[in-house]
C-alpha cells in the first residue's frame, strides 16, 4: 500500500474514532472517562493523514515520480474500519456473565447511602455492602437496583452489571442472586429495575468461588438498556 493509500486509511481511522467519541458508540468499547483521549487520538490521526497526503503530493510534483498501483486486496484493510463506523457491537450480556467469575472486590470503606426511599444503588454497591458489609450499612432500608438478567442452568436468576477497568475487553460481571417476588417470565439479557431488601443469604460463584449476595425482591419492572451499559463504580 503506497503513502497515499496509507494516508487514506489513517484518515478513515481518525474519522471512525471521532465518530465513536462524538456519539455513545464509544461506550461499547471503553469507559466514559477515556472519551477526551479518544477524540484527541482521532484528531491527531486525521492531522497526520492530511500532512502525509500533502507531503506526498508535493514530493511527486517536484520529482515527477509515478508509483505503480498496489494490489487491490490491500484495500480489504478498510473493512474493519467500516465495521467500526457502520456496525455498533452489542454490549456484553448474560452469555459472558455466566462464563466469568464475579469481579466483586472488598471496598476500603463505604460511603453514606444516597437519599431516597427506596435507596438507588448500583449492582456493585449493593453487592459489596451485602457480601462484605453484611448489610449493616443498609439499615433495613429498601433498595432499587438496575441490571440485566442472567439465568444459570439451575434456573437461578441473577441481576448483573459488567464492570469495566479500562475497556470492554477486560469487562467482568458483578452478580446479585434474586429471590422473592420475581416476574413470572424471566428473559436473559432483559434489563430490570428491581426493588427489594437485604437478605443475609449468600452463595458462591461456580466459576471463581467469589461471593454472590442475594436480594429479596419485592417488585420488578422492565426498563430500557441504559446509555452506558457498563458499571465503572467498582474501581473508583
Amino acid at each position: 500500500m503506497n503513502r497515499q493509500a496509507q494516508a487514506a486509511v489513517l484518515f478513515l481511522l481518525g474519522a471512525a474514532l471521532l465518530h465513536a467519541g462524538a456519539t455513545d458508540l464509544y461506550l461499547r468499547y471503553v469507559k466514559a472517562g477515556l472519551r477526551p483521549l479518544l477524540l484527541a487520538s482521532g484528531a491527531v490521526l486525521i492531522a497526520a493523514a492530511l500532512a502525509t497526503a500533502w507531503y506526498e503530493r508535493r514530493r511527486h510534483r517536484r520529482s515527477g515520480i509515478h508509483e505503480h498501483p498496489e494490489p487491490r486486496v490491500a484495500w480489504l484493510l478498510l473493512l474493519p474500519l467500516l465495521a467500526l463506523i457502520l456496525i455498533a457491537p452489542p454490549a456484553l450480556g448474560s452469555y459472558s456473565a455466566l462464563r466469568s467469575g464475579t469481579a466483586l472486590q472488598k471496598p476500603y470503606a463505604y460511603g453514606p447511602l444516597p437519599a431516597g426511599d427506596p435507596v438507588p444503588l448500583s449492582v456493585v454497591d449493593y453487592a459489596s455492602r451485602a457480601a462484605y458489609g453484611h448489610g449493616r450499612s443498609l439499615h433495613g432500608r429498601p433498595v432499587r437496583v438496575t441490571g440485566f438478567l442472567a439465568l444459570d442452568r439451575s434456573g437461578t436468576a441473577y441481576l448483573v452489571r459488567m464492570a469495566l477497568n479500562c475497556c470492554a475487553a477486560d469487562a467482568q460481571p458483578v452478580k446479585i442472586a434474586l429471590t422473592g417476588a420475581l416476574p413470572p417470565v424471566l428473559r436473559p439479557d432483559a434489563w430490570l429495575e428491581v426493588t427489594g431488601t437485604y437478605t443475609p443469604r449468600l452463595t458462591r460463584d461456580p466459576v471463581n468461588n467469589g461471593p454472590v449476595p442475594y436480594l429479596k425482591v419485592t417488585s420488578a419492572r422492565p426498563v430500557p438498556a441504559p446509555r452506558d451499559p457498563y458499571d465503572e463504580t467498582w474501581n473508583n
Side-chain angles (χ1 to χ4, degrees):
M1 183 176 288
N2 58 29
R3 287 289 185 89
Q4 295 288 357
Q6 291 172 11
V9 172
L10 276 178
F11 183 87
L12 288 174
L13 179 57
L17 291 179
L18 289 180
H19 168 72
T23 64
D24 291 340
L25 178 60
Y26 79 103
L27 293 172
R28 302 294 179 93
Y29 301 97
V30 298
K31 62 192 300 183
L34 296 179
R35 185 178 195 175
L37 293 178
L38 194 68
L39 292 171
S41 299
V44 168
L45 287 175
I46 287 179
L50 294 175
T52 299
W54 176 83
Y55 173 80
E56 283 299 298
R57 185 175 181 181
R58 184 178 180 185
R59 184 171 69 91
H60 291 172
R61 283 182 176 179
R62 287 182 175 181
S63 61
I65 297 175
H66 296 282
E67 296 184 0
H68 295 289
E70 299 294 324
R72 293 182 179 179
V73 70
W75 290 99
L76 291 177
L77 294 172
L78 294 178
L79 292 180
L81 297 178
L82 294 176
L84 175 62
I85 297 172
L86 301 176
I87 303 173
L92 298 177
S94 60
Y95 180 88
S96 300
L98 293 176
R99 286 158 179 79
S100 302
T102 180
L104 187 64
Q105 301 172 1
K106 186 175 182 178
Y108 294 109
Y110 300 103
L113 285 176
D117 186 19
V119 179
L121 292 177
S122 69
V123 169
V124 174
D125 201 1
Y126 174 82
S128 61
R129 291 173 186 270
Y132 294 113
H134 307 291
R136 288 188 293 268
S137 62
L138 299 174
H139 302 295
R141 295 175 61 183
V143 299
R144 184 175 69 244
V145 188
T146 300
F148 65 84
L149 274 175
L151 301 174
D152 65 14
R153 293 182 179 180
S154 68
T156 301
Y158 299 94
L159 195 68
V160 186
R161 203 74 182 257
M162 301 298 287
L164 283 187
N165 182 42
C166 172
C167 57
D170 61 29
Q172 294 176 286
V174 174
K175 311 171 188 178
I176 299 172
L178 301 178
T179 186
L182 298 177
V185 178
L186 298 175
R187 183 169 56 87
D189 295 311
W191 284 82
L192 285 182
E193 181 185 88
V194 172
T195 301
T197 55
Y198 165 75
T199 173
R201 186 178 176 186
L202 187 79
T203 188
R204 291 285 167 177
D205 194 306
V207 179
N208 66 351
N209 202 40
V212 179
Y214 272 80
L215 174 66
K216 187 175 182 180
V217 179
T218 55
S219 65
R221 68 182 186 93
V223 293
R227 169 179 170 269
D228 186 353
Y230 296 111
D231 195 325
E232 302 171 22
T233 60
W234 74 311
N235 63 339
N236 290 344

